[in-house]
């Protein structure tokens, strides 16, 4: 059951069961704009109120190796870029090593489709020694235009929490098996960044937040120059700039974003996979 507390869904405390319930849970994600982070952490909290996080988004903190034991659970999330998981996120996930560690995989996409991304993530995590028990393809606000604004919202997170609780109950009764994940081999082309490049206006105060937070280390020390070969057009710098100096107010982008928003105006729903 759920109840609301001042408009926010509150999940009652979960009884500690035995059986396959992991003793530790870690939320691992690449989340340039924060939407993927919300989805992953909503799942992790169901299994462990004291879950740990490994944020692989920042370029300067993405390469440390992490190992997990058989009695742990990893909830992992990646963004979808053109139907594949972003190649930079995939590269960083190779630093994760499991010992048949339980793993719940998720991808977050902005309303077109996730195509082969979830299958790709499943294959990758299995190669890294994880035992995939469930998957989810969830909607997040698109980086470009006005697509699925505000998602994941309260209802999305409630659905995701309910999904996680189903998996937890199955683990408690030893009824979890490998899920069937949609997608095709070979994977479609994709996984690369977009072609737009952020601009910087005169209000920039050289605080270096954008430089430090860039997932690809594409922003130079002057906070203005951007390496076009490294930038993935995730617009993280635009969202986190404290003075709003970063922007993408070019005629080309605004025209594209308007057309793109119309093309992807139809609402999509989250999809959850388990056996």
């Amino acid at each position: 059951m759920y109840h609301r507390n001042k408009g926010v869904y509150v999940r009652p405390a979960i009884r500690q069961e035995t059986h396959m319930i992991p003793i530790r849970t870690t939320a691992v994600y690449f989340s340039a704009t924060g939407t993927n982070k919300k989805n992953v952490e909503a799942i992790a909290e169901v299994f462990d109120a004291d879950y740990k996080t490994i944020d692989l988004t920042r370029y300067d903190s993405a390469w440390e190796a992490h190992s997990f034991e058989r009695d742990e659970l990893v909830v992992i999330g990646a963004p979808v870029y053109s139907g594949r998981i972003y190649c930079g996120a995939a590269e960083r996930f190779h630093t994760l090593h499991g010992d048949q560690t339980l793993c719940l995989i998720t991808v977050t996409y902005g309303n077109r489709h996730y195509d082969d991304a979830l299958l790709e993530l499943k294959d990758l995590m299995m190669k890294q020694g994880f035992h995939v028990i469930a998957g989810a393809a969830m909607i997040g606000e698109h980086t470009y235009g006005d697509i699925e604004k505000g998602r994941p919202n309260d209802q999305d997170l409630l659905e995701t929490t309910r999904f996680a609780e189903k998996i937890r109950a199955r683990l408690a009764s030893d009824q979890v098996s490998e899920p069937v994940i949609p997608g095709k081999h070979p994977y479609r082309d994709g996984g690369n960044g977009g072609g737009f490049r952020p601009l910087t206006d005169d209000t920039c105060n050289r605080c270096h937040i954008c430089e430090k937070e860039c997932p690809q280390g594409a922003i130079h020390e002057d906070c203005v120059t951007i390496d076009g070969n490294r930038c993935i057009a995730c617009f993280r710098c635009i969202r986190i700039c404290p003075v709003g100096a970063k922007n993408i107010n070019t005629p080309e982008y605004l025209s594209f974003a308007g057309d793109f928003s119309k093309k992807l105006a139809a609402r999509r729903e989250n999809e959850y996979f388990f056996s």
Side-chain angles (χ1 to χ4, degrees), residues 46-87:
V46 169
F47 292 91
D48 184 354
D50 297 319
Y51 67 89
K52 297 180 180 180
T53 62
I54 298 177
D55 185 350
L56 297 178
T57 309
R58 278 178 54 151
Y59 189 74
D60 63 357
S61 61
W63 313 112
E64 179 184 353
H66 302 275
S67 297
F68 302 90
E69 302 299 329
R70 191 171 295 235
D71 56 0
E72 297 184 67
L73 169 69
V74 170
V75 183
I76 189 165
V80 177
Y81 279 49
S82 301
R84 296 277 301 279
I85 59 175
Y86 168 58
C87 59

Side-chain angles (χ1 to χ4, degrees), residues 45-164:
E45 201 271 338
V46 169
F47 292 91
D48 184 354
D50 297 319
Y51 67 89
K52 297 180 180 180
T53 62
I54 298 177
D55 185 350
L56 297 178
T57 309
R58 278 178 54 151
Y59 189 74
D60 63 357
S61 61
W63 313 112
E64 179 184 353
H66 302 275
S67 297
F68 302 90
E69 302 299 329
R70 191 171 295 235
D71 56 0
E72 297 184 67
L73 169 69
V74 170
V75 183
I76 189 165
V80 177
Y81 279 49
S82 301
R84 296 277 301 279
I85 59 175
Y86 168 58
C87 59
E91 183 180 15
R92 295 171 202 193
F93 292 162
H94 278 94
T95 65
L96 308 173
H97 304 280
D99 178 18
Q100 286 302 298
T101 306
L102 299 178
C103 183
L104 200 158
I105 58 172
T106 75
V107 295
T108 302
Y109 69 108
N111 210 35
R112 188 194 65 78
H113 206 278
Y114 56 94
D115 295 304
D116 302 326
L118 194 61
L119 177 63
E120 181 184 10
L121 185 55
K122 176 189 175 184
D123 293 343
L124 173 57
M125 297 311 292
M126 291 179 66
K127 288 179 181 178
Q128 294 301 111
F130 292 86
H131 174 44
V132 175
I133 59 172
M138 296 174 287
I139 301 297
E141 182 175 320
H142 202 290
T143 301
Y144 302 155
D146 295 313
I147 302 167
E148 299 291 9
K149 280 289 188 180
R151 297 187 72 184
N153 54 30
D154 283 350
Q155 184 60 36
D156 289 318
L157 295 175
L158 176 60
E159 291 175 2
T160 296
T161 296
R162 286 175 170 166
F163 157 70

Side-chain angles (χ1 to χ4, degrees), residues 88-261:
E91 183 180 15
R92 295 171 202 193
F93 292 162
H94 278 94
T95 65
L96 308 173
H97 304 280
D99 178 18
Q100 286 302 298
T101 306
L102 299 178
C103 183
L104 200 158
I105 58 172
T106 75
V107 295
T108 302
Y109 69 108
N111 210 35
R112 188 194 65 78
H113 206 278
Y114 56 94
D115 295 304
D116 302 326
L118 194 61
L119 177 63
E120 181 184 10
L121 185 55
K122 176 189 175 184
D123 293 343
L124 173 57
M125 297 311 292
M126 291 179 66
K127 288 179 181 178
Q128 294 301 111
F130 292 86
H131 174 44
V132 175
I133 59 172
M138 296 174 287
I139 301 297
E141 182 175 320
H142 202 290
T143 301
Y144 302 155
D146 295 313
I147 302 167
E148 299 291 9
K149 280 289 188 180
R151 297 187 72 184
N153 54 30
D154 283 350
Q155 184 60 36
D156 289 318
L157 295 175
L158 176 60
E159 291 175 2
T160 296
T161 296
R162 286 175 170 166
F163 157 70
E165 289 180 336
K166 289 179 181 178
I167 304 305
R168 192 179 194 282
R170 287 172 176 261
L171 283 173
S173 58
D174 295 339
Q175 294 181 344
V176 172
S177 58
E178 184 178 315
V180 176
I181 300 296
K184 297 179 180 179
H185 297 107
Y187 311 132
R188 62 170 285 150
D189 290 335
N192 300 308
F196 297 103
R197 298 294 177 260
L199 305 176
T200 307
D201 64 31
D202 293 338
T203 62
C204 176
N205 60 9
R206 308 301 190 271
C207 69
H208 298 283
I209 291 176
C210 63
E211 177 199 357
K212 294 176 181 177
E213 293 292 332
C214 177
Q216 290 300 111
I219 301 177
H220 292 202
E221 290 184 3
D222 63 5
C223 299
V224 175
T225 306
I226 294 178
D227 185 337
N229 293 322
R230 299 179 72 94
C231 176
I232 59 175
C234 68
F235 294 176
R236 179 177 174 88
C237 57
I238 294 176
R239 296 201 181 196
I240 65 174
C241 179
V243 296
K246 286 285 190 294
N247 67 85
I248 189 66
N249 298 327
T250 66
E252 295 79 11
Y253 171 75
L254 295 175
S255 176
F256 169 84
D259 292 341
F260 200 48
S261 297

Side-chain angles (χ1 to χ4, degrees), residues 25-45:
T25 299
T26 303
V28 182
Y29 48 80
F30 180 103
S31 186
T33 57
T35 53
N36 192 49
K37 175 179 183 290
K38 292 178 183 178
N39 286 323
V40 172
E41 292 188 340
I43 294 172
E45 201 271 338

